[in-house]
Amino acid sequence: MRRIKKVAVLGSGVMGSTIACHFANIGLEVLMMDILPQGIDEAALKSPQVRNGVAATALITALKQKPAPLYKQEFASRITIGNFEDDFAKIKNCDWVVEVVVERLDIKQKIFEQVDKHRRTGALVTSNTSGIPIHLMLEGRSDDFKKHFLGAHFFNPPRYLALLEIIPTAETDADVISFLMDYGDRYLGKKTVLCKDTPAFIANRVGVYAMSLIYQLADESNLTIDDIDKLTGAAIGRPSTGTFRLGDLVGLDVAAKVTKGIQDNCPSDEQAQALHLPQFFEHLLSNKWFGNKTNKGFYVKTDEKDEKGSSIIHSLNLKTLQYEKSPRTSLASLSLSKQIDDLPKRLRALVESKDAGGILLRKSFAGLFAYVSKRIPEISDTLYAIDDALRAGFGWEMGPFEYWDAMGVEAGLKIAEEEGYSVAGWIKEMLSNGITNFYLREGSARLYYDLNSKKHIPIPGSTEVIRLSNYRTQKPIYKNDEIILHDIGDQVLCLEFTSKMNAIGEGILKGIQESINVAESGDWRGLVIGNEAKNFSVGANLMLIAMLAFDEQWDDLEMAVRLFQQTSMRCRYSSIPVVAATQGYVFGGGCEISMHCDAVCAAAESYIGLVEVGVGILPGGAGTKEFALRASDAFFEGDVMIPTLIEKFKTIALASVSTSAHEAFDHGYLLEHKDRVIVNGSRNLDEAKQEVIRLSEEYTMPLERSDILVLGRQGLGALYTAANELYRGHYASEHDIKIAKKVAWVLCGGDLSEPQKVTERYLLDLEREAFLSLISEKKTMERVQYMLENGKPLRN
């Protein structure tokens, strides 16, 4: 059985260093090497530190990046550095050698000559090239090298973008392909997509064409780049960067190079050949304004500040080529996009819109549909591989064929032909045979249209990973306006949040309690609480809390807080195991619910935190109580205890949020003995299900705690001092300190004359009382209102 324990990364540039970091993220030992520094005299070059300077500097630069390439900074200790002159022989101890040097075939071939000389037999070798044909790198290599070599193209930044394109050659051993497809998925957390060795592979071939077409359409329209970015961003299920901000992010020189590379290497690609760089693009290139890396591109940050103190951004006027403040939009299509929540319905409405925005989208989708229809079987034999690549590599909610399905295959064909594009013949053949969808669902399997068999067949592995969307066509076990309870097999239930942004309101709270009742009263092993949304939950429904507080409905508010606390406790104290599967934001109430589950299977990209202080309150859904309990459990005989208490206090008082699931253990949101990290977030529901099954074998409902040690006045004195230090250090405002002292009050069990043991119920009463006292404060109401209006906290 092949195991990966140590990896060599050859090249320490932006991609090399961040790929090395991601290997370190998953616990591997990494050797990262690069060339000797240039322009250094012979005497200085005798120092190992100087000789390793290129790789050392690159690693330091990577560790300063935001967002961070590592789950935790200390994971950098898993990376050692070296140079090609002194350390190449060390790759004999590596299981996988990853080449990430400059995009020149001659240089790569020289590197691979050295790799072939020093690697051990059977070690994997891959290239991260984004454009050079993989097979050209095999010249002069040994048979064993050829069998174990392929392209493995990561997308930047490697930690955050899910796509890993696997590009074998005719010489690559089939077992090596299978291994890396699976390893990339399970261990690196990637969507692995099998590609053919064609120019730009899949994602860049299609994604860059789509971007370039929009640049061209922009030149023909009178739309501003701000409007186009809004139209081609979240409005159609793509990242908020849209098209022009994405160009600035990628680098306009890089985008131009990739486009030219496709045109040079794909002479029969008629649509790519028809692309041309508009004048405004040439203007930016000639001035070397390449985007973010030159601080100027389609957008530029000015020295001016708005009324909130933020820098004013100016955008390029595509006609005058001058930078100017973005005008307010009056596009009907943009207004329409905000009125329709359902993405397929929104897409259909947008392409039917008669204004300039609708026309641009219609033309861009027409070109995209025609383009991808002709890329099969050139770049892939399957349409789902193209969709997977664009979703994972470019962050689209839907791939091209999924967009086409959403609009209707016949309607999409009509749009393409009306805009003057020819579509591949297999599309019309498919429709003539009465098949009107690229995808179908059959039970828990997802089927795709296969060009060879001319029928729908299951996507390989589609039944191996839980997809709640596959269960939504079945009758739910239970449902209300904010949750759906699914039977996900093996006598396990899954509760899915369905509220906007998965905000926790009465429907979710009652839904959790009812779901636990269902599981306890039936023949069920247990319950998973999880969903497939971008974020597990943004927290409690702040609008509902605000309405009750503004109307001074204190009794109703008290009942709402009590219901939240009871629900958290119900997750802890039930006769069946309850496991949370988290991803994205796990804020406030979402964090409180997960902390009370028997276990958490947290996707590595889970950003977990009790953030209530930001809106002027403390965690009131049993979260503050839980931190008092966890502090008590951390005390040990002879312990001073105060430092542990201060640590828990600061986590809540500073609204600390983990930047990864690994970091959440340091904050105390996750616990080593019960919670774990899942690198591939698409598998966290599966892992949570297996955890329920494991726990259910000998599950006994825990007893409510009555042994929580709180420190009373002794702790309060220390925490009040810590709060004042935050104030004097300008980390907190006067109102922050008022909130912090309420947090301290609950953590210490109130004004007790000496340390003593208390019950959870006692602490819940203190927590609820403190929450209600804070929500009535004028400054808290200001914070709540500001958050609802602006989506960010107010410091008052």
Side-chain angles (χ1 to χ4, degrees), residues 25 225 301 348 383 449 550 698 721:
N25 278 336
I225 67 171
K301 184 186 290 186
R348 292 192 290 271
L383 56 87
Y449 180 74
F550 286 139
E698 297 178 355
T721 299

Side-chain angles (χ1 to χ4, degrees), residues 196-215:
K196 293 188 177 183
D197 192 6
T198 53
F201 312 130
I202 293 179
N204 281 337
R205 180 72 176 275
V206 176
V208 171
Y209 169 80
M211 285 177 64
S212 299
L213 177 60
I214 290 170
Y215 292 145

